[in-house]
Amino acid sequence: MLKLSQLPHFLLAGLLSISFVKTVNAESTAKLSVVVNGIRHQKGEICFRVFGGEKGFPMSSTSEVQSGCAKITGTSVTKEFSGLKPGTYAIAVVDDQNGDRKLNKDFFGIPTEGFGISKNPTVSIQTGTPKFRDASFVVNNNTTVNIIMKYSLDS
């Protein structure tokens, strides 16, 4: 039988074991830093979409897990996304000059604003829109991705 003098030790041991269980079961998260280089304009903002799957990539928000915009302050902009679960992601960015937070295109579907895709794949009439698999990367811990802004299709 538990003696009254042992009660505080028993309670303390119980509380400690509960706190360790929570720590073990806590899901780790990571921070993703996205650096966009080669920005040609000094007005507007760079808008980012972080995708967790191929559905809708890179134009629709279907598999978007986080997004946001950063004011242009030079030829390079950095945006951080935190709280991401470890996994595979891809990023699409737009040099949004008119404030509509989407990539504007002409009648033929060719972008009229700057854009960028993680892993900087070739984007041309022949290759078409990049696939998630061509732009995806793994995030386990804190990760930095560099994207080069494009203002025309690749030749």
Side-chain angles (χ1 to χ4, degrees):
M1 181 140 168
L2 188 64
K3 293 183 181 176
L4 203 51
S5 63
Q6 294 174 320
L7 188 58
H9 298 292
F10 180 74
L11 287 174
L12 181 62
L15 289 173
L16 284 174
S17 66
I18 290 171
S19 68
F20 284 130
V21 169
K22 282 190 169 260
T23 303
V24 170
N25 289 336
E27 195 165 343
S28 64
T29 60
K31 180 176 77 174
L32 173 63
S33 298
V34 183
V35 180
V36 178
N37 294 301
I39 300 168
R40 291 185 184 169
H41 305 284
Q42 298 304 302
K43 62 182 175 74
E45 56 188 359
I46 302 297
C47 292
F48 301 76
R49 283 185 168 172
V50 180
F51 292 85
E54 64 184 55
K55 199 168 224 157
F57 177 82
M59 304 307 260
S60 164
S61 62
T62 307
S63 64
E64 178 184 296
V65 294
Q66 287 190 32
S67 64
C69 297
K71 186 166 178 43
I72 297 173
T73 57
T75 59
S76 179
V77 168
T78 301
K79 177 113 176 106
E80 293 186 351
F81 297 93
S82 57
L84 292 172
K85 296 177 183 175
T88 303
Y89 296 93
I91 303 163
V93 299
V94 174
D95 181 349
D96 187 22
Q97 291 296 300
N98 62 0
D100 66 356
R101 298 194 169 193
K102 65 180 183 177
L103 179 63
N104 298 131
K105 298 181 248 171
D106 67 13
F107 177 76
F108 299 105
I110 297 172
T112 58
E113 292 179 304
F115 65 94
I117 303 283
S118 48
K119 292 178 69 177
N120 302 300
T122 298
V123 181
S124 68
I125 292 174
Q126 291 82 15
T127 62
T129 304
K131 305 287 185 224
F132 180 82
R133 70 178 172 269
D134 299 324
S136 62
F137 55 93
V138 175
V139 173
N140 286 322
N141 297 309
N142 296 341
T143 303
T144 299
V145 172
N146 292 291
I147 297 176
I148 299 169
M149 189 62 69
K150 296 176 185 257
Y151 289 91
S152 64
L153 296 178
D154 296 314
S155 303

PDB file of all heavy atoms in Angstrom, residues 96-126:
ATOM      1  N   ASP A  96       4.937  39.748 -59.015  1.00  0.00           N
ATOM      2  CA  ASP A  96       3.591  40.306 -59.163  1.00  0.00           C
ATOM      3  C   ASP A  96       3.658  41.826 -59.254  1.00  0.00           C
ATOM      4  O   ASP A  96       3.772  42.518 -58.256  1.00  0.00           O
ATOM      5  CB  ASP A  96       2.720  39.868 -57.987  1.00  0.00           C
ATOM      6  CG  ASP A  96       1.274  40.271 -58.150  1.00  0.00           C
ATOM      7  OD1 ASP A  96       0.851  40.493 -59.290  1.00  0.00           O
ATOM      8  OD2 ASP A  96       0.578  40.350 -57.130  1.00  0.00           O
ATOM      9  N   GLN A  97       3.568  42.339 -60.464  1.00  0.00           N
ATOM     10  CA  GLN A  97       3.687  43.775 -60.701  1.00  0.00           C
ATOM     11  C   GLN A  97       2.355  44.508 -60.603  1.00  0.00           C
ATOM     12  O   GLN A  97       2.327  45.710 -60.385  1.00  0.00           O
ATOM     13  CB  GLN A  97       4.303  44.029 -62.079  1.00  0.00           C
ATOM     14  CG  GLN A  97       5.761  43.629 -62.150  1.00  0.00           C
ATOM     15  CD  GLN A  97       6.619  44.460 -61.217  1.00  0.00           C
ATOM     16  OE1 GLN A  97       6.684  45.670 -61.346  1.00  0.00           O
ATOM     17  NE2 GLN A  97       7.256  43.808 -60.259  1.00  0.00           N
ATOM     18  N   ASN A  98       1.240  43.800 -60.752  1.00  0.00           N
ATOM     19  CA  ASN A  98      -0.060  44.477 -60.742  1.00  0.00           C
ATOM     20  C   ASN A  98      -0.909  44.180 -59.505  1.00  0.00           C
ATOM     21  O   ASN A  98      -2.058  44.596 -59.431  1.00  0.00           O
ATOM     22  CB  ASN A  98      -0.851  44.168 -62.019  1.00  0.00           C
ATOM     23  CG  ASN A  98      -1.169  42.690 -62.151  1.00  0.00           C
ATOM     24  OD1 ASN A  98      -0.807  41.887 -61.307  1.00  0.00           O
ATOM     25  ND2 ASN A  98      -1.836  42.335 -63.237  1.00  0.00           N
ATOM     26  N   GLY A  99      -0.375  43.436 -58.540  1.00  0.00           N
ATOM     27  CA  GLY A  99      -1.064  43.213 -57.276  1.00  0.00           C
ATOM     28  C   GLY A  99      -2.196  42.210 -57.292  1.00  0.00           C
ATOM     29  O   GLY A  99      -2.940  42.103 -56.319  1.00  0.00           O
ATOM     30  N   ASP A 100      -2.313  41.405 -58.346  1.00  0.00           N
ATOM     31  CA  ASP A 100      -3.409  40.428 -58.376  1.00  0.00           C
ATOM     32  C   ASP A 100      -3.013  39.070 -57.805  1.00  0.00           C
ATOM     33  O   ASP A 100      -3.832  38.162 -57.719  1.00  0.00           O
ATOM     34  CB  ASP A 100      -3.982  40.278 -59.785  1.00  0.00           C
ATOM     35  CG  ASP A 100      -2.994  39.678 -60.775  1.00  0.00           C
ATOM     36  OD1 ASP A 100      -1.820  39.435 -60.413  1.00  0.00           O
ATOM     37  OD2 ASP A 100      -3.395  39.466 -61.932  1.00  0.00           O
ATOM     38  N   ARG A 101      -1.751  38.920 -57.427  1.00  0.00           N
ATOM     39  CA  ARG A 101      -1.216  37.723 -56.767  1.00  0.00           C
ATOM     40  C   ARG A 101      -1.365  36.444 -57.597  1.00  0.00           C
ATOM     41  O   ARG A 101      -1.584  35.368 -57.073  1.00  0.00           O
ATOM     42  CB  ARG A 101      -1.809  37.550 -55.377  1.00  0.00           C
ATOM     43  CG  ARG A 101      -1.437  38.719 -54.494  1.00  0.00           C
ATOM     44  CD  ARG A 101      -1.690  38.487 -53.061  1.00  0.00           C
ATOM     45  NE  ARG A 101      -1.043  39.579 -52.329  1.00  0.00           N
ATOM     46  CZ  ARG A 101      -0.852  39.574 -51.062  1.00  0.00           C
ATOM     47  NH1 ARG A 101      -1.246  38.560 -50.343  1.00  0.00           N
ATOM     48  NH2 ARG A 101      -0.246  40.574 -50.471  1.00  0.00           N
ATOM     49  N   LYS A 102      -1.253  36.598 -58.914  1.00  0.00           N
ATOM     50  CA  LYS A 102      -1.245  35.437 -59.799  1.00  0.00           C
ATOM     51  C   LYS A 102      -0.360  35.741 -61.000  1.00  0.00           C
ATOM     52  O   LYS A 102      -0.025  36.896 -61.268  1.00  0.00           O
ATOM     53  CB  LYS A 102      -2.662  35.072 -60.240  1.00  0.00           C
ATOM     54  CG  LYS A 102      -3.340  36.117 -61.105  1.00  0.00           C
ATOM     55  CD  LYS A 102      -4.737  35.667 -61.500  1.00  0.00           C
ATOM     56  CE  LYS A 102      -5.371  36.690 -62.421  1.00  0.00           C
ATOM     57  NZ  LYS A 102      -6.682  36.263 -62.880  1.00  0.00           N
ATOM     58  N   LEU A 103       0.030  34.696 -61.707  1.00  0.00           N
ATOM     59  CA  LEU A 103       0.868  34.845 -62.896  1.00  0.00           C
ATOM     60  C   LEU A 103      -0.011  35.218 -64.079  1.00  0.00           C
ATOM     61  O   LEU A 103      -0.873  34.435 -64.497  1.00  0.00           O
ATOM     62  CB  LEU A 103       1.630  33.548 -63.186  1.00  0.00           C
ATOM     63  CG  LEU A 103       2.535  33.567 -64.416  1.00  0.00           C
ATOM     64  CD1 LEU A 103       3.654  34.583 -64.255  1.00  0.00           C
ATOM     65  CD2 LEU A 103       3.111  32.176 -64.664  1.00  0.00           C
ATOM     66  N   ASN A 104       0.192  36.409 -64.605  1.00  0.00           N
ATOM     67  CA  ASN A 104      -0.565  36.851 -65.768  1.00  0.00           C
ATOM     68  C   ASN A 104       0.091  36.309 -67.030  1.00  0.00           C
ATOM     69  O   ASN A 104       1.320  36.231 -67.125  1.00  0.00           O
ATOM     70  CB  ASN A 104      -0.635  38.374 -65.817  1.00  0.00           C
ATOM     71  CG  ASN A 104      -1.356  38.938 -64.612  1.00  0.00           C
ATOM     72  OD1 ASN A 104      -0.872  39.859 -63.972  1.00  0.00           O
ATOM     73  ND2 ASN A 104      -2.507  38.395 -64.261  1.00  0.00           N
ATOM     74  N   LYS A 105      -0.762  35.915 -68.005  1.00  0.00           N
ATOM     75  CA  LYS A 105      -0.283  35.346 -69.260  1.00  0.00           C
ATOM     76  C   LYS A 105      -0.976  36.030 -70.429  1.00  0.00           C
ATOM     77  O   LYS A 105      -2.061  36.590 -70.271  1.00  0.00           O
ATOM     78  CB  LYS A 105      -0.567  33.845 -69.304  1.00  0.00           C
ATOM     79  CG  LYS A 105       0.151  33.077 -68.211  1.00  0.00           C
ATOM     80  CD  LYS A 105      -0.152  31.612 -68.317  1.00  0.00           C
ATOM     81  CE  LYS A 105      -0.989  31.208 -67.122  1.00  0.00           C
ATOM     82  NZ  LYS A 105      -1.526  29.881 -67.175  1.00  0.00           N
ATOM     83  N   ASP A 106      -0.351  35.925 -71.597  1.00  0.00           N
ATOM     84  CA  ASP A 106      -0.969  36.496 -72.790  1.00  0.00           C
ATOM     85  C   ASP A 106      -1.961  35.502 -73.401  1.00  0.00           C
ATOM     86  O   ASP A 106      -2.205  34.422 -72.853  1.00  0.00           O
ATOM     87  CB  ASP A 106       0.094  36.948 -73.794  1.00  0.00           C
ATOM     88  CG  ASP A 106       0.899  35.804 -74.402  1.00  0.00           C
ATOM     89  OD1 ASP A 106       0.513  34.625 -74.261  1.00  0.00           O
ATOM     90  OD2 ASP A 106       1.937  36.099 -75.034  1.00  0.00           O
ATOM     91  N   PHE A 107      -2.484  35.859 -74.563  1.00  0.00           N
ATOM     92  CA  PHE A 107      -3.482  35.057 -75.256  1.00  0.00           C
ATOM     93  C   PHE A 107      -2.990  33.632 -75.525  1.00  0.00           C
ATOM     94  O   PHE A 107      -3.771  32.686 -75.537  1.00  0.00           O
ATOM     95  CB  PHE A 107      -3.847  35.765 -76.574  1.00  0.00           C
ATOM     96  CG  PHE A 107      -4.822  35.012 -77.417  1.00  0.00           C
ATOM     97  CD1 PHE A 107      -6.170  34.978 -77.079  1.00  0.00           C
ATOM     98  CD2 PHE A 107      -4.399  34.323 -78.543  1.00  0.00           C
ATOM     99  CE1 PHE A 107      -7.082  34.274 -77.859  1.00  0.00           C
ATOM    100  CE2 PHE A 107      -5.308  33.623 -79.331  1.00  0.00           C
ATOM    101  CZ  PHE A 107      -6.648  33.599 -78.983  1.00  0.00           C
ATOM    102  N   PHE A 108      -1.692  33.470 -75.751  1.00  0.00           N
ATOM    103  CA  PHE A 108      -1.117  32.164 -76.055  1.00  0.00           C
ATOM    104  C   PHE A 108      -0.693  31.379 -74.814  1.00  0.00           C
ATOM    105  O   PHE A 108      -0.168  30.287 -74.930  1.00  0.00           O
ATOM    106  CB  PHE A 108       0.095  32.324 -76.994  1.00  0.00           C
ATOM    107  CG  PHE A 108      -0.270  32.949 -78.308  1.00  0.00           C
ATOM    108  CD1 PHE A 108       0.055  34.268 -78.570  1.00  0.00           C
ATOM    109  CD2 PHE A 108      -0.947  32.230 -79.281  1.00  0.00           C
ATOM    110  CE1 PHE A 108      -0.281  34.863 -79.778  1.00  0.00           C
ATOM    111  CE2 PHE A 108      -1.300  32.810 -80.494  1.00  0.00           C
ATOM    112  CZ  PHE A 108      -0.966  34.132 -80.745  1.00  0.00           C
ATOM    113  N   GLY A 109      -0.901  31.959 -73.628  1.00  0.00           N
ATOM    114  CA  GLY A 109      -0.530  31.280 -72.387  1.00  0.00           C
ATOM    115  C   GLY A 109       0.901  31.522 -71.960  1.00  0.00           C
ATOM    116  O   GLY A 109       1.400  30.861 -71.049  1.00  0.00           O
ATOM    117  N   ILE A 110       1.572  32.460 -72.594  1.00  0.00           N
ATOM    118  CA  ILE A 110       2.961  32.778 -72.253  1.00  0.00           C
ATOM    119  C   ILE A 110       2.959  33.826 -71.139  1.00  0.00           C
ATOM    120  O   ILE A 110       2.256  34.831 -71.227  1.00  0.00           O
ATOM    121  CB  ILE A 110       3.725  33.277 -73.491  1.00  0.00           C
ATOM    122  CG1 ILE A 110       3.772  32.149 -74.531  1.00  0.00           C
ATOM    123  CG2 ILE A 110       5.136  33.743 -73.123  1.00  0.00           C
ATOM    124  CD1 ILE A 110       4.331  32.547 -75.873  1.00  0.00           C
ATOM    125  N   PRO A 111       3.730  33.597 -70.075  1.00  0.00           N
ATOM    126  CA  PRO A 111       3.741  34.543 -68.941  1.00  0.00           C
ATOM    127  C   PRO A 111       4.151  35.956 -69.354  1.00  0.00           C
ATOM    128  O   PRO A 111       5.075  36.140 -70.146  1.00  0.00           O
ATOM    129  CB  PRO A 111       4.778  33.944 -67.993  1.00  0.00           C
ATOM    130  CG  PRO A 111       4.815  32.495 -68.337  1.00  0.00           C
ATOM    131  CD  PRO A 111       4.576  32.432 -69.816  1.00  0.00           C
ATOM    132  N   THR A 112       3.433  36.933 -68.816  1.00  0.00           N
ATOM    133  CA  THR A 112       3.774  38.339 -69.044  1.00  0.00           C
ATOM    134  C   THR A 112       4.399  38.965 -67.802  1.00  0.00           C
ATOM    135  O   THR A 112       4.734  40.144 -67.818  1.00  0.00           O
ATOM    136  CB  THR A 112       2.520  39.144 -69.452  1.00  0.00           C
ATOM    137  OG1 THR A 112       1.532  39.014 -68.429  1.00  0.00           O
ATOM    138  CG2 THR A 112       1.966  38.647 -70.775  1.00  0.00           C
ATOM    139  N   GLU A 113       4.537  38.180 -66.734  1.00  0.00           N
ATOM    140  CA  GLU A 113       5.216  38.615 -65.511  1.00  0.00           C
ATOM    141  C   GLU A 113       6.338  37.622 -65.226  1.00  0.00           C
ATOM    142  O   GLU A 113       6.308  36.479 -65.700  1.00  0.00           O
ATOM    143  CB  GLU A 113       4.244  38.632 -64.315  1.00  0.00           C
ATOM    144  CG  GLU A 113       3.174  39.692 -64.424  1.00  0.00           C
ATOM    145  CD  GLU A 113       2.222  39.677 -63.237  1.00  0.00           C
ATOM    146  OE1 GLU A 113       1.616  38.626 -62.964  1.00  0.00           O
ATOM    147  OE2 GLU A 113       2.076  40.735 -62.602  1.00  0.00           O
ATOM    148  N   GLY A 114       7.299  38.058 -64.420  1.00  0.00           N
ATOM    149  CA  GLY A 114       8.387  37.169 -64.044  1.00  0.00           C
ATOM    150  C   GLY A 114       7.872  36.010 -63.209  1.00  0.00           C
ATOM    151  O   GLY A 114       6.894  36.126 -62.480  1.00  0.00           O
ATOM    152  N   PHE A 115       8.558  34.866 -63.315  1.00  0.00           N
ATOM    153  CA  PHE A 115       8.167  33.671 -62.571  1.00  0.00           C
ATOM    154  C   PHE A 115       9.396  32.844 -62.253  1.00  0.00           C
ATOM    155  O   PHE A 115      10.463  33.035 -62.832  1.00  0.00           O
ATOM    156  CB  PHE A 115       7.157  32.841 -63.383  1.00  0.00           C
ATOM    157  CG  PHE A 115       7.736  32.289 -64.657  1.00  0.00           C
ATOM    158  CD1 PHE A 115       8.282  31.011 -64.695  1.00  0.00           C
ATOM    159  CD2 PHE A 115       7.767  33.057 -65.816  1.00  0.00           C
ATOM    160  CE1 PHE A 115       8.835  30.509 -65.864  1.00  0.00           C
ATOM    161  CE2 PHE A 115       8.313  32.565 -66.994  1.00  0.00           C
ATOM    162  CZ  PHE A 115       8.852  31.290 -67.020  1.00  0.00           C
ATOM    163  N   GLY A 116       9.240  31.922 -61.334  1.00  0.00           N
ATOM    164  CA  GLY A 116      10.326  31.010 -60.992  1.00  0.00           C
ATOM    165  C   GLY A 116       9.772  29.745 -60.371  1.00  0.00           C
ATOM    166  O   GLY A 116       8.684  29.750 -59.789  1.00  0.00           O
ATOM    167  N   ILE A 117      10.539  28.674 -60.503  1.00  0.00           N
ATOM    168  CA  ILE A 117      10.151  27.363 -59.997  1.00  0.00           C
ATOM    169  C   ILE A 117      11.358  26.779 -59.261  1.00  0.00           C
ATOM    170  O   ILE A 117      12.493  26.919 -59.723  1.00  0.00           O
ATOM    171  CB  ILE A 117       9.763  26.405 -61.161  1.00  0.00           C
ATOM    172  CG1 ILE A 117       8.648  26.996 -62.016  1.00  0.00           C
ATOM    173  CG2 ILE A 117       9.402  25.026 -60.645  1.00  0.00           C
ATOM    174  CD1 ILE A 117       7.271  26.919 -61.450  1.00  0.00           C
ATOM    175  N   SER A 118      11.115  26.109 -58.140  1.00  0.00           N
ATOM    176  CA  SER A 118      12.211  25.468 -57.417  1.00  0.00           C
ATOM    177  C   SER A 118      12.953  24.497 -58.339  1.00  0.00           C
ATOM    178  O   SER A 118      12.368  23.900 -59.234  1.00  0.00           O
ATOM    179  CB  SER A 118      11.690  24.743 -56.175  1.00  0.00           C
ATOM    180  OG  SER A 118      10.575  23.936 -56.471  1.00  0.00           O
ATOM    181  N   LYS A 119      14.242  24.365 -58.109  1.00  0.00           N
ATOM    182  CA  LYS A 119      15.182  23.575 -58.907  1.00  0.00           C
ATOM    183  C   LYS A 119      15.398  24.162 -60.295  1.00  0.00           C
ATOM    184  O   LYS A 119      16.065  23.551 -61.124  1.00  0.00           O
ATOM    185  CB  LYS A 119      14.785  22.099 -58.964  1.00  0.00           C
ATOM    186  CG  LYS A 119      14.927  21.412 -57.603  1.00  0.00           C
ATOM    187  CD  LYS A 119      14.516  19.980 -57.595  1.00  0.00           C
ATOM    188  CE  LYS A 119      15.435  19.093 -58.375  1.00  0.00           C
ATOM    189  NZ  LYS A 119      15.046  17.667 -58.302  1.00  0.00           N
ATOM    190  N   ASN A 120      14.799  25.333 -60.579  1.00  0.00           N
ATOM    191  CA  ASN A 120      15.030  26.087 -61.810  1.00  0.00           C
ATOM    192  C   ASN A 120      14.979  25.238 -63.084  1.00  0.00           C
ATOM    193  O   ASN A 120      15.909  25.261 -63.897  1.00  0.00           O
ATOM    194  CB  ASN A 120      16.371  26.835 -61.702  1.00  0.00           C
ATOM    195  CG  ASN A 120      16.384  27.763 -60.511  1.00  0.00           C
ATOM    196  OD1 ASN A 120      15.562  28.673 -60.424  1.00  0.00           O
ATOM    197  ND2 ASN A 120      17.285  27.535 -59.575  1.00  0.00           N
ATOM    198  N   PRO A 121      13.874  24.489 -63.295  1.00  0.00           N
ATOM    199  CA  PRO A 121      13.788  23.664 -64.511  1.00  0.00           C
ATOM    200  C   PRO A 121      13.620  24.529 -65.764  1.00  0.00           C
ATOM    201  O   PRO A 121      13.203  25.689 -65.686  1.00  0.00           O
ATOM    202  CB  PRO A 121      12.533  22.822 -64.268  1.00  0.00           C
ATOM    203  CG  PRO A 121      11.677  23.686 -63.397  1.00  0.00           C
ATOM    204  CD  PRO A 121      12.650  24.425 -62.504  1.00  0.00           C
ATOM    205  N   THR A 122      13.926  23.954 -66.911  1.00  0.00           N
ATOM    206  CA  THR A 122      13.714  24.629 -68.185  1.00  0.00           C
ATOM    207  C   THR A 122      12.211  24.793 -68.412  1.00  0.00           C
ATOM    208  O   THR A 122      11.441  23.854 -68.209  1.00  0.00           O
ATOM    209  CB  THR A 122      14.327  23.809 -69.335  1.00  0.00           C
ATOM    210  OG1 THR A 122      15.731  23.705 -69.109  1.00  0.00           O
ATOM    211  CG2 THR A 122      14.074  24.444 -70.688  1.00  0.00           C
ATOM    212  N   VAL A 123      11.820  25.992 -68.805  1.00  0.00           N
ATOM    213  CA  VAL A 123      10.418  26.271 -69.123  1.00  0.00           C
ATOM    214  C   VAL A 123      10.396  26.850 -70.535  1.00  0.00           C
ATOM    215  O   VAL A 123      10.857  27.965 -70.761  1.00  0.00           O
ATOM    216  CB  VAL A 123       9.792  27.268 -68.124  1.00  0.00           C
ATOM    217  CG1 VAL A 123       8.327  27.509 -68.470  1.00  0.00           C
ATOM    218  CG2 VAL A 123       9.941  26.781 -66.694  1.00  0.00           C
ATOM    219  N   SER A 124       9.891  26.064 -71.482  1.00  0.00           N
ATOM    220  CA  SER A 124       9.854  26.503 -72.879  1.00  0.00           C
ATOM    221  C   SER A 124       8.568  26.013 -73.523  1.00  0.00           C
ATOM    222  O   SER A 124       7.801  25.264 -72.910  1.00  0.00           O
ATOM    223  CB  SER A 124      11.067  25.960 -73.639  1.00  0.00           C
ATOM    224  OG  SER A 124      10.970  24.560 -73.776  1.00  0.00           O
ATOM    225  N   ILE A 125       8.372  26.412 -74.764  1.00  0.00           N
ATOM    226  CA  ILE A 125       7.203  25.929 -75.500  1.00  0.00           C
ATOM    227  C   ILE A 125       7.289  24.414 -75.653  1.00  0.00           C
ATOM    228  O   ILE A 125       6.299  23.709 -75.534  1.00  0.00           O
ATOM    229  CB  ILE A 125       7.080  26.643 -76.857  1.00  0.00           C
ATOM    230  CG1 ILE A 125       6.729  28.112 -76.617  1.00  0.00           C
ATOM    231  CG2 ILE A 125       6.040  25.961 -77.749  1.00  0.00           C
ATOM    232  CD1 ILE A 125       6.714  28.978 -77.849  1.00  0.00           C
ATOM    233  N   GLN A 126       8.506  23.896 -75.856  1.00  0.00           N
ATOM    234  CA  GLN A 126       8.697  22.455 -76.032  1.00  0.00           C
ATOM    235  C   GLN A 126       8.473  21.683 -74.731  1.00  0.00           C
ATOM    236  O   GLN A 126       7.864  20.620 -74.738  1.00  0.00           O
ATOM    237  CB  GLN A 126      10.109  22.135 -76.558  1.00  0.00           C
ATOM    238  CG  GLN A 126      10.373  22.562 -77.972  1.00  0.00           C
ATOM    239  CD  GLN A 126      10.755  24.044 -78.083  1.00  0.00           C
ATOM    240  OE1 GLN A 126      11.079  24.692 -77.099  1.00  0.00           O
ATOM    241  NE2 GLN A 126      10.671  24.583 -79.284  1.00  0.00           N
TER     242      GLN A 126
END
